[in-house]
Amino acid sequence: FVCTPFDPSGFHFGKIKNPGERLLHLELLGGSYDVLTNKFPLFPRHMLLVCNELVPQQMTAAHLQSVGQLIRPSSFCAYFNSWCASASVNHFHCHIIDEHPPVTLLPLEPCARLISGVRPLRPNGFPGHCYVFEWCHVDLVAAAVWAMQQDNQPHNLLFTPHHIYVWPKPHQRPERSFELYPETVGGPELLGSFTVYQQEDFMRLQPEHAAELFEINTAPLPARLRNFGRALDDIEGTISTVPQIRERRVLTAIRPSQSLDSAPNGCLVR
């Protein structure tokens, strides 16, 4: 289940004893967090933002506020994998990366349909379902996440200094996905970065396969989101319970990042 309860007997980041793995302690709008090293990095300076409270891998309005407070005044990005959407530890964490991934190279265009009176954006040329919101609509993102959790729908999120990308997933991974790619299509893949561990898998993966994987591993947002006001009322710890970030907060600037890799225009696979 996407909302699987936290299990204190399983592995969680509170069990890490090596202080060298904890890079930074942060008190953010939504709570207390540590920035940890990542033992299996996929991007330049790939780190983890981990909640110190022992809570499951479920995005909340408070966590959205915290991620926004950290990412918006920086040149970093962050991505989130829900449980059943590539997350491997059921303790709240986001991945922080020191680059803007390939999907952000695609220009944004308005979606055809409104969601609760708001017209989200979409990456022009992205083959699957992707909803992009400006940070001023973070309350709508909170409602979208709540709706996906209520429908047991896995999801992936990307946070940039200016936008939030939302990828709803199918309830079950299509069998065709295994034929095209041996790994789960999660946050890194939707961002445009595919990882394989066998040379034969690398040689077999083609750009047209990536396009099909994007298409079959994403899905529309839940229909219940049309009743946006009711969704906000039902969210536990709604966006109004923590200070708003509708306006960009004045924070000490984080140094600019420098990407070590980029994709050519129109290409999502690297």
Side-chain angles (χ1 to χ4, degrees), residues 38-59:
N38 190 342
K39 295 179 68 174
F40 307 102
L42 300 176
F43 295 91
R45 285 168 286 280
H46 190 165
M47 300 166 283
L48 299 177
L49 177 69
V50 174
C51 183
N52 286 325
E53 186 179 358
L54 300 182
V55 293
Q57 180 68 348
Q58 297 169 25
M59 183 58 71

Side-chain angles (χ1 to χ4, degrees), residues 168-191:
K169 306 290 287 292
H171 288 84
Q172 291 186 338
R173 179 180 176 180
E175 286 297 324
R176 172 66 174 161
S177 188
F178 291 97
E179 299 173 8
L180 296 173
Y181 182 60
E183 306 298 324
T184 300
V185 174
E189 289 78 14
L190 294 171
L191 270 58

Side-chain angles (χ1 to χ4, degrees), residues 85-195:
S86 227
S88 58
V89 178
N90 191 22
H91 178 191
F92 181 83
H93 63 286
C94 273
H95 296 256
I96 304 173
I97 57 176
D98 191 12
E99 72 164 85
H100 286 239
V103 70
T104 64
L105 299 176
L106 297 177
L108 298 175
E109 63 180 10
C111 288
R113 297 182 61 180
L114 296 175
I115 298 179
S116 303
V118 174
R119 191 177 301 279
L121 304 171
R122 68 178 305 276
N124 185 4
F126 185 82
H129 294 274
C130 180
Y131 304 84
V132 184
F133 300 88
E134 295 180 345
W135 275 99
C136 62
H137 294 133
V138 65
D139 52 354
L140 182 52
V141 174
V145 170
W146 174 88
M148 289 186 288
Q149 290 171 344
Q150 294 300 302
D151 282 8
N152 195 34
Q153 183 174 24
H155 47 277
N156 302 96
L157 308 173
L158 168 66
F159 306 94
T160 77
H162 301 288
H163 295 98
I164 306 171
Y165 291 64
V166 180
W167 286 279
K169 306 290 287 292
H171 288 84
Q172 291 186 338
R173 179 180 176 180
E175 286 297 324
R176 172 66 174 161
S177 188
F178 291 97
E179 299 173 8
L180 296 173
Y181 182 60
E183 306 298 324
T184 300
V185 174
E189 289 78 14
L190 294 171
L191 270 58
S193 179
F194 287 76
T195 301

Side-chain angles (χ1 to χ4, degrees), residues 195-227:
T195 301
V196 294
Y197 301 95
Q198 302 293 332
Q199 182 68 24
E200 60 186 54
D201 294 327
F202 174 77
M203 298 301 295
R204 186 168 57 246
L205 185 63
Q206 299 298 318
E208 58 267 26
H209 297 158
E212 185 177 352
L213 287 166
F214 294 145
E215 183 175 1
I216 65 177
N217 282 285
T218 56
L221 282 167
R224 70 170 71 224
L225 195 58
R226 296 169 189 164
N227 192 355

